[in-house]
Every structure is written in structure tokens, then in C-alpha cells.
Amino acid sequence: MLQRLRIKTRILLIILGIVILFVVMALYITSTVRQIRDLGTEATSKAMLEGQKAKIKISSHAMAMALAEAVKKSRLKQPDEIKDSLRPMVNPARHEDDLSVFFFIYQPNINIVFPVKQADQGKDLGSLKDKNGVYVIRELHQKAQAGGGYVNYIWPKPGAGDTPKLSYAEMIPGLDMWVGTGIYIDNIDKTTAALQAEMDQLAGKEIRQMQIVAGTIFLAIVAFCFIVALGISSGLSNLIRNFRDVAEGKGDLTKRIKVESSDELGDLGT
């Protein structure tokens, strides 16, 4: 089939193949860079979430141990006295830059200590649920009874509206109460979004540089192929024209063919 095509057409087909290869490689590299970016941000998000989980677990455990030791040393026996002694130890404890993270104590669904809304102390909040139907206090109590665990839910954050939150609960040794704390995890989304934007910017810069370098090489190859194609085509056309003159009996047999190259076409002309 290729023998039916002119040499110039064949070379143009080669150039077309180079163009297709360049486009495919560019798309593949761009896709690979984006996949690497997505994997990087996903891994970062998971690592941050694990870090947050470890932080609230350690802080809840430390608070449970401290409260148990304090009650033991106080030698208080009356339930109301024990509850009153716990509140001043827990209420001031805040962490995170915006002081949005605090500790709370329940028995089992009765609120004992709730620093941000002390009016709820003494109330049964077992029916409290988020907008997705998660019974927050009930599930945290179950996790605490099982040796400690996490609960994910949606909760209003001051100034930010409904926000994903993660809490951990653990029983206080020697008491029928459990202590927990929670942290809003919207900072993970903000950090990963900022990281993704930074990686997008860096990836875009690298891709542009790659496109410039590859584009320059591509244009040089295409230009070279065109020059080769034109050289072969013009050389063959000159020879064919002279041979046709001789074949048709109209040529000047004393006229020499002008040889302008030292390749195979030049040898044929000579």
C-alpha cells in the first residue's frame, strides 16, 4: 500500500505520527502529574486526620487519668461533691488556636460538665443528634464503655456553621462517668485545599516548561522532516524531468544533469 504513495506523502505521514505521539505523551504526562498531585493531597489528608485522632485520644486519656487521680486523692464519696470537684478542673481546659476544643463529662447520658453551655449541666442529652441523625452522646457513651472510641458527626462551629467534627470518649477509672473531647476537622480540608493549589501551581509550571522544551524539539524535528521531504522531492522531480525528456526523444543528450547533493540521488544523477 505504501508503495502507491509518493515519497513526500510518506514523510508527511511520518510527521503526522510524530505529532500524534507528541500529543499522546503530553496528555499522559499531564494526567500522571495530576494523579501524583491527588495521591499527595489524599495522603496528606489521611496523615492529618490520623494526627487529629491521636491528639484527641491522648488528651482524653490524660484527662480521664488526671480526674480519676484527683477524685481518689480528694477522698470524696458523695456524687454531688465529686461532680462539683470535677467542673473547675475541666472547665478551663481548652486547646486549638480558636479555643474551640474543650472537654465534657457525662454519666452516662446526663451532662455533668459542659464548659461552653453550662445551662445543660444536669440534663439528659441522650436524644441529641446531628443533622444526619447521629445520636452523638449515645454513641460516645457506647464507645467509652467499649474501651474508648471515636464518633464522626456534623456540629455547628461558631462563625462557620455546620462543620464536620470528630470526638473521642473514654471512661474515667473508678467512676461511672466518661470524659471526651472533640475537634472540628474543617482545618484538614483547608490545609489540603491550600496544598493542592500549591501543587497545581508547581505542576503547571513544570508542565509549561516541559511543553516549551518538548515543543521546541518537536518543531525542530518537523522542520527537519519537511526539509528532507522537500530535498528528496525536488531532487527526484529534477531527475524525472530529465529522464522523461530523454525517454520522449526531446532531450539534449549532451546536456549534463546538475548534481547538487552527495547522497544517493546525487549518485543517480551522476
Side-chain angles (χ1 to χ4, degrees), residues 92-123:
R94 299 288 186 91
H95 48 103
E96 292 299 297
D97 295 336
D98 57 1
L99 303 179
S100 62
V101 180
F102 52 89
F103 293 93
F104 42 81
I105 299 176
Y106 283 82
Q107 181 194 34
N109 295 326
I110 304 296
N111 182 273
I112 305 302
V113 181
F114 199 48
V116 296
K117 197 175 180 181
Q118 297 185 17
D120 285 342
Q121 293 178 169
K123 295 181 179 179

Side-chain angles (χ1 to χ4, degrees), residues 38-63:
D38 293 341
L39 287 174
T41 52
E42 182 180 354
T44 300
S45 178
K46 288 182 178 179
M48 289 185 64
L49 179 60
E50 291 302 318
Q52 299 285 42
K53 291 174 70 174
K55 180 164 62 177
I56 61 175
K57 179 179 181 179
I58 292 172
S59 59
S60 295
H61 179 71
M63 179 61 76

Side-chain angles (χ1 to χ4, degrees), residues 13-129:
L13 288 175
I14 294 175
I15 295 174
L16 178 61
I18 294 173
V19 172
I20 294 174
L21 176 62
F22 175 78
V23 172
V24 171
M25 290 299 297
L27 293 175
Y28 175 77
I29 292 174
T30 302
S31 175
T32 301
V33 170
R34 288 175 178 173
Q35 288 179 4
I36 293 173
R37 176 206 63 189
D38 293 341
L39 287 174
T41 52
E42 182 180 354
T44 300
S45 178
K46 288 182 178 179
M48 289 185 64
L49 179 60
E50 291 302 318
Q52 299 285 42
K53 291 174 70 174
K55 180 164 62 177
I56 61 175
K57 179 179 181 179
I58 292 172
S59 59
S60 295
H61 179 71
M63 179 61 76
M65 295 299 103
L67 293 175
E69 186 65 21
V71 170
K72 181 179 179 181
K73 289 182 177 179
S74 69
R75 297 183 180 180
L76 296 174
K77 301 297 182 181
Q78 296 299 320
D80 289 340
E81 293 179 345
I82 293 175
K83 295 173 186 177
D84 291 338
S85 69
L86 296 178
R87 292 185 179 114
M89 290 187 286
V90 175
N91 283 332
R94 299 288 186 91
H95 48 103
E96 292 299 297
D97 295 336
D98 57 1
L99 303 179
S100 62
V101 180
F102 52 89
F103 293 93
F104 42 81
I105 299 176
Y106 283 82
Q107 181 194 34
N109 295 326
I110 304 296
N111 182 273
I112 305 302
V113 181
F114 199 48
V116 296
K117 197 175 180 181
Q118 297 185 17
D120 285 342
Q121 293 178 169
K123 295 181 179 179
D124 187 338
L125 302 182
S127 60
L128 196 64
K129 59 182 179 179

Side-chain angles (χ1 to χ4, degrees), residues 207-229:
I207 289 174
R208 284 191 296 271
Q209 290 179 348
M210 178 204 69
Q211 289 174 340
I212 292 173
V213 174
T216 302
I217 296 174
F218 166 74
L219 291 176
I221 292 174
V222 170
F224 176 74
C225 289
F226 268 118
I227 292 172
V228 171

